[in-house]
Amino acid sequence: MSGIHIPELCGAILLPDTVLFPHGALPLHIFEDRYREMLEDALESDCMICVGTLLEEESNNYARCVNPIGTVGLIRTSREMEDGRSNLVLHGVYRVRFSAWPGGKNYPYAHIVPMSADPFPSDKGPAMAKKLRGKVNEVLTVFPEEVKREINLVLDRAQCEPAILADAISQQFVQDPEVRLQLLGEPAIDARYEILFRYLTQIRENWQQN
């Protein structure tokens, strides 16, 4: 993904309780007229759309009702149906900050700034990754073997990059919308690991109690 150009301005689909992480996938069903227009514009340009999380009921004041951090994604597949609706899969590319909403479109249109991550402490990396994978495997004990294998194959590929590993686990395992937003907005990768440690431990403890 390092070679992909991130646009300065991008259309954004706004959804409640929805967070897309970099390297994650999000299936979308496009049916509103404004988002049909946004999809058409994206397909004719850079094939990118942002995902923004609504914090309250949508209004024209996007700076207030949308979480300031979102993710710009690349349209991987898009299939238009006869009635004009479309099904697509958006692949997360990069965290972005919505710095302004200039308008001028019939859909939410944002000025975006890529959000860089704080350096990961290399001396702690292997131990933290091992601990995180251990927490994941504790959670996976209740899943069928086939599911365990598939998830571990995905995580094996992400293992070499601490940020990708954290995002892959966040996308797959974290269901709480508030925790997902916390992980998305946290610039320090080691802090994301700590959030995931706590969350996965709590999941395991809740299952044991039940």
Side-chain angles (χ1 to χ4, degrees), residues 131-208:
K131 179 180 177 182
L132 188 55
R133 289 296 297 270
K135 292 291 183 184
V136 168
N137 284 320
E138 288 177 4
V139 172
L140 287 176
T141 56
V142 300
F143 286 76
E145 288 299 322
E146 182 177 352
V147 174
K148 293 181 192 178
R149 285 195 299 271
E150 290 297 322
I151 291 178
N152 274 302
L153 282 173
V154 172
L155 298 185
D156 286 343
R157 292 194 291 269
Q159 186 80 30
C160 60
E161 289 287 345
I164 297 177
L165 179 62
D167 284 339
I169 292 172
S170 299
Q171 186 73 47
Q172 295 287 336
F173 289 93
V174 179
Q175 303 300 318
D176 187 309
E178 292 186 6
V179 178
R180 289 174 71 87
L181 284 177
Q182 186 182 5
L183 285 161
L184 188 71
E186 176 55 61
I189 301 172
D190 55 341
R192 296 175 198 168
Y193 274 57
E194 294 296 340
I195 295 168
L196 287 168
F197 291 153
R198 294 193 297 270
Y199 182 82
L200 294 171
T201 298
Q202 188 61 55
I203 288 178
R204 183 65 175 161
E205 290 176 353
N206 290 344
W207 286 351
Q208 289 175 336

Side-chain angles (χ1 to χ4, degrees), residues 53-125:
T53 306
L54 284 170
L55 302 176
E56 57 184 53
E57 186 175 351
E58 184 178 340
S59 68
N60 291 330
N61 187 352
Y62 296 126
R64 172 174 177 153
C65 67
V66 180
N67 190 62
I69 305 298
T71 299
V72 62
L74 182 67
I75 299 170
R76 284 297 193 189
T77 61
S78 179
R79 185 172 66 86
E80 184 176 356
M81 292 173 277
E82 292 182 358
D83 61 3
R85 294 176 297 151
S86 295
N87 290 320
L88 61 90
V89 175
L90 198 64
H91 184 91
V93 174
Y94 218 90
R95 284 172 172 79
V96 295
R97 182 177 298 279
F98 299 118
S99 61
W101 299 87
K105 301 284 187 179
N106 293 322
Y107 50 82
Y109 192 60
H111 188 286
I112 59 175
V113 179
M115 178 181 165
S116 59
D118 292 348
F120 189 70
S122 58
D123 58 324
K124 299 179 181 179

Side-chain angles (χ1 to χ4, degrees), residues 27-44:
L28 292 169
H29 178 63
I30 304 298
F31 61 92
E32 293 185 48
D33 289 341
R34 58 176 181 164
Y35 288 140
R36 291 186 193 183
E37 181 178 337
M38 180 184 70
L39 176 59
E40 182 178 345
D41 288 350
L43 292 174
E44 291 178 353

